[in-house]
Amino acid sequence: MSKKTSLSLLTFDNRFVEGLPADNETDNHRRQVLSACYSFVNPTVVAAPKLVAFSSEVAELLNLSDEDCQSENFTQVFAGNQLLADMRPHAQCYGGHQFGNWAGQLGDGRAINLGEVVNQQGNHYVLQLKGSGATPYSRTADGLAVLRSSVREFLCSEAMFHLGVPTTRALSLVTTGEQVVRDMFYDGRAKPEPGAIVCRVAPSFLRFGSYEIHSARGDIDTLRQLVDFTITTEFPHLGTPSVDVYLEWFAEVCERTADMIVHWMRVGFVHGVMNTDNMSILGLTIDYGPYGWLEDYDPNWTPNTTDASGRRYRFGNQAQIAQWNLFQLANAIYPLIEDAAPLRKILNDYAELYDQKWQTMRAKKLGLNDYNAATDHSLNKELHEVLQLVETDMTTFYRNLADIDCEDIQLSDKELLAPLMDAYYAPEALSTEDKTRTCNWLRLYQQRVAEDGTSNVIRRQKMNEINPKYVLRNYMAQLAIDKAELGDFSLVNELLALLRQPYAEQADMAHFAVKRPDWARDRAGCSMLSCSS
Ligand code: AMP
Ligand code: MG
C-alpha cells in the first residue's frame, strides 16, 4: 500500500480553463481548433514509470515535502498515469513565427497542463507534463519526449533559476519505461531512445504565439478574452483592462523580456529557438530545446544545427530577435488598440531600455558601481574585442577577472595576466601582440576600478555574486545523459545539487568549473544540437 502524501491536499482552481473558451470537441485527434484557447485531453498512460529526479525547491512551492516526491503516488501522477481530483488536463492552442515565418497553429503538441495549483501562500502554479502523449495539436508528431532532451530541460531550468534568470521551473523527471524513436540529426539514422516526462511549473505557460493565433484568424473576440484574462490574472497591478492598460501591459512585457535577455547575456545562455511560440508572456525562459552555454566567447555561436546556416538565434543576436518577436506580439494585439503609434514607441523604447539595462549589467559584471557612459562604452567595446582574440572561455574569464589585482598598478604583464590564463583554450595561441592588447585593457580596467575606489576584496565579492562559477556546460549535461541512459541517475542528481549554488566556490566540485574538455569539442550533444527531442 502506498503511503498517504500531501498530493491529495493540493488545491486546484484552474483559472485558465474556468475563465477561457474551450474547444467543444473532446475527442483526441489532430485538428485545427477555432474560437478556443485550449482542448481537454488526458495524458497517455505509460508502462513503467520511474522517478529520475525531483526539485525540492519546486516541491516546496507546492507545499510538498521530499517524502511526498519520493512516493509511488508522485511518480504515477507525474508520469501522467493517475490524475488527482480537480485536475483538468488540457492542451493550449497557440501559433507562432518560426525562424521568421508565420507557421499557423502549433499548440501544446506534447505538453499537457494538468491543472493550476493555488498554494498555501495564495500563489498560482500550473503543472505541465511535457512528453505525455499526443494532443489535438501534435500535428504529425508523437507527443513524446526522450530522456536526453528531458534531462537537459530539467537540469537547465533549475540551474537558470538558481542563477537568478527568470525561467519556468521543473518539478520532476521520470522515465516512462517505453522507447521513443528519434532521428537525432535528421540523417536517416533513427533509433529507439528511452522516453521521459518532465513536469514543468510556472504561473502561466502563455506565449506570444497564444495571442498571435487568434489575431491571425481575425478572432478578435477570443483575443480580447485572452488578453483581459492575462492582465487580470498575471498583471493585476495594471488595473481593469482598457486600451491604455493594454499598452501598459505591452510595455511591461517588453521590459520583462529585456530583463530576461540581459540575464541570458550575463550568464552566456543561448536559447537556440527563439520562435514566438517559445517566448513567454511573463518574460520567463521557456522551452529548453537545443539551447547551449557559450564556452568560447563567440557572439556568432549557436548550438542549434537547424539554425546553423542563418544563425538567426546566435548569442549576439538575442536582444534584436526578442524585439522582432515583440513586434509580432504588437501586431497581434493591434486590433485591440487600433493605433500603431504608441505600440511603435514602446518597441523603440525597448531597444533603448535593453541597451541601458545591458550596459548596467556589464558594469556590474566588471565589479563597477555603475555604468559611466564617458568611460565605460569604450571599456566594454574593447573587452568585447579582447575576448575574441583567441578562444576564451566566457565563464572562466569573468570569474577569474575578479582575481585580478587592481590595487597594484606596478604588476608586470605576466603577473597581471596570470589569473586569466585558465580561460584560454590554447594559451600558446595568445601572441605577444594579443597579450599586450589584453594587458592594456586590464590596465584601463584597473584605472576604472580605482576611480570607483573599490577594494580587491569588495570587488571580488560583488563580481562573484553575478559571474557564476558553475553553469550547465553542454558537456556536463551530456555526461549526465550518458549515465542516465544506462539507468544510472546519480550524475543528474549530483549536477542538480551542484547547480543549486552556482556562485559558491564548492571546492570539491571545482572539476566542473573548468573549460570544456577537448573530447567534447565536436561531440554531438556537447557542441551541436538539433531540434530533435
Ligand atoms: P518547439 O520548437 O520544440 O518549441 O516545438 C514547436 C511545436 O512543435 C510546438 O507546438 C510543440 O508542441 C510541437 N512539438 C515538438 N515536438 C513534438 C512532438 N514530439 N510531438 C508533438 N508535438 C511536438
Ligand atoms: Mg515550443
Side-chain angles (χ1 to χ4, degrees), residues 176-338:
T176 59
E178 294 176 10
Q179 300 279 298
V180 173
V181 175
R182 286 290 181 266
D183 184 354
M184 187 152 87
F185 282 103
Y186 305 122
D187 60 1
R189 287 185 295 166
K191 66 172 178 73
E193 299 184 44
I197 298 172
V198 171
C199 177
R200 309 199 290 192
V201 177
S204 163
F205 286 95
L206 284 165
R207 303 129 191 278
F208 292 5
S210 308
Y211 307 87
E212 286 181 276
I213 186 71
H214 306 301
S215 197
R217 287 167 167 170
D219 181 0
I220 308 310
D221 182 41
T222 308
L223 172 69
R224 186 184 305 276
Q225 286 187 61
L226 182 61
V227 172
D228 289 358
F229 171 86
T230 310
I231 292 171
T232 351
T233 55
E234 301 300 332
F235 298 77
H237 51 280
L238 297 179
T240 312
S242 66
V243 170
D244 283 345
V245 168
Y246 294 148
L247 290 169
E248 282 174 46
W249 171 62
F250 181 60
E252 188 169 335
V253 175
C254 287
E255 175 149 19
R256 289 193 194 196
T257 305
D259 284 327
M260 173 185 79
I261 305 285
V262 163
H263 280 292
W264 290 1
M265 301 306 286
R266 168 174 69 88
V267 298
F269 177 80
V270 192
H271 183 285
V273 208
M274 289 178 70
N275 293 333
T276 57
D277 53 305
N278 292 336
M279 296 291 293
S280 147
I281 202 69
L282 300 181
L284 306 173
T285 312
I286 191 173
D287 279 13
Y288 290 84
Y291 69 80
W293 292 84
L294 207 60
E295 290 175 318
D296 168 31
Y297 183 85
D298 172 4
N300 288 321
W301 185 69
T302 172
N304 185 357
T305 52
T306 317
D307 189 28
S309 53
R311 294 182 184 266
R312 179 181 174 85
Y313 299 139
R314 62 188 182 273
F315 178 67
N317 208 30
Q318 299 189 113
Q320 281 91 315
I321 287 294
Q323 189 183 27
W324 191 92
N325 289 341
L326 287 162
F327 178 64
Q328 304 312 317
L329 179 63
N331 274 339
I333 62 169
Y334 170 80
L336 304 184
I337 293 158
E338 292 185 317

Side-chain angles (χ1 to χ4, degrees), residues 201-502:
V201 177
S204 163
F205 286 95
L206 284 165
R207 303 129 191 278
F208 292 5
S210 308
Y211 307 87
E212 286 181 276
I213 186 71
H214 306 301
S215 197
R217 287 167 167 170
D219 181 0
I220 308 310
D221 182 41
T222 308
L223 172 69
R224 186 184 305 276
Q225 286 187 61
L226 182 61
V227 172
D228 289 358
F229 171 86
T230 310
I231 292 171
T232 351
T233 55
E234 301 300 332
F235 298 77
H237 51 280
L238 297 179
T240 312
S242 66
V243 170
D244 283 345
V245 168
Y246 294 148
L247 290 169
E248 282 174 46
W249 171 62
F250 181 60
E252 188 169 335
V253 175
C254 287
E255 175 149 19
R256 289 193 194 196
T257 305
D259 284 327
M260 173 185 79
I261 305 285
V262 163
H263 280 292
W264 290 1
M265 301 306 286
R266 168 174 69 88
V267 298
F269 177 80
V270 192
H271 183 285
V273 208
M274 289 178 70
N275 293 333
T276 57
D277 53 305
N278 292 336
M279 296 291 293
S280 147
I281 202 69
L282 300 181
L284 306 173
T285 312
I286 191 173
D287 279 13
Y288 290 84
Y291 69 80
W293 292 84
L294 207 60
E295 290 175 318
D296 168 31
Y297 183 85
D298 172 4
N300 288 321
W301 185 69
T302 172
N304 185 357
T305 52
T306 317
D307 189 28
S309 53
R311 294 182 184 266
R312 179 181 174 85
Y313 299 139
R314 62 188 182 273
F315 178 67
N317 208 30
Q318 299 189 113
Q320 281 91 315
I321 287 294
Q323 189 183 27
W324 191 92
N325 289 341
L326 287 162
F327 178 64
Q328 304 312 317
L329 179 63
N331 274 339
I333 62 169
Y334 170 80
L336 304 184
I337 293 158
E338 292 185 317
D339 182 4
L343 287 169
R344 205 174 295 128
K345 174 163 187 334
I346 296 168
L347 278 168
N348 288 335
D349 290 349
Y350 160 87
E352 228 168 85
L353 191 70
Y354 173 80
D355 264 355
Q356 244 174 40
K357 285 174 185 284
W358 178 224
Q359 298 293 17
T360 306
M361 184 60 87
R362 290 171 91 180
K364 284 194 190 164
K365 281 182 76 63
L366 297 180
L368 304 177
N369 290 339
D370 213 340
Y371 174 69
N372 173 355
T375 50
D376 300 351
H377 178 72
S378 55
L379 190 74
N380 284 337
K381 198 159 164 256
E382 177 61 4
L383 174 58
H384 181 71
E385 302 298 323
V386 161
L387 279 165
Q388 292 175 78
L389 291 174
V390 292
E391 218 180 327
T392 309
D393 190 88
M394 176 180 163
T395 306
T396 309
F397 183 92
Y398 276 102
R399 186 76 182 184
N400 292 10
L401 191 62
D403 297 332
I404 296 281
D405 185 349
C406 285
E407 289 167 18
D408 185 353
I409 53 167
Q410 308 290 346
L411 296 176
S412 69
D413 279 9
K414 195 166 180 212
E415 288 166 331
L416 190 57
L417 208 52
L420 296 180
M421 292 313 286
D422 280 345
Y424 297 115
Y425 278 88
E428 66 283 1
L430 210 60
S431 66
T432 313
E433 213 173 72
D434 296 335
K435 281 184 186 158
T436 308
R437 191 165 171 189
T438 307
C439 287
N440 287 345
W441 183 83
L442 286 169
R443 291 186 203 283
L444 284 177
Y445 175 56
Q446 284 183 312
Q447 276 174 29
R448 179 63 184 85
V449 170
E451 277 166 33
D452 274 359
T454 313
S455 69
N456 280 335
V457 175
I458 297 291
R459 182 175 52 90
R460 184 170 189 275
Q461 186 191 329
K462 289 204 304 186
M463 288 174 77
N464 286 356
E465 283 168 8
I466 201 165
N467 299 315
K469 177 161 178 178
Y470 300 98
V471 295
L472 183 62
R473 290 172 180 276
N474 312 309
Y475 85 90
M476 287 159 60
Q478 190 56 46
L479 288 176
I481 291 164
D482 290 344
K483 277 196 168 177
E485 286 181 342
L486 299 172
D488 174 356
F489 306 139
S490 57
L491 194 50
V492 173
N493 283 288
E494 217 178 288
L495 292 182
L496 178 63
L498 169 75
L499 297 167
R500 259 185 197 122
Q501 293 180 285

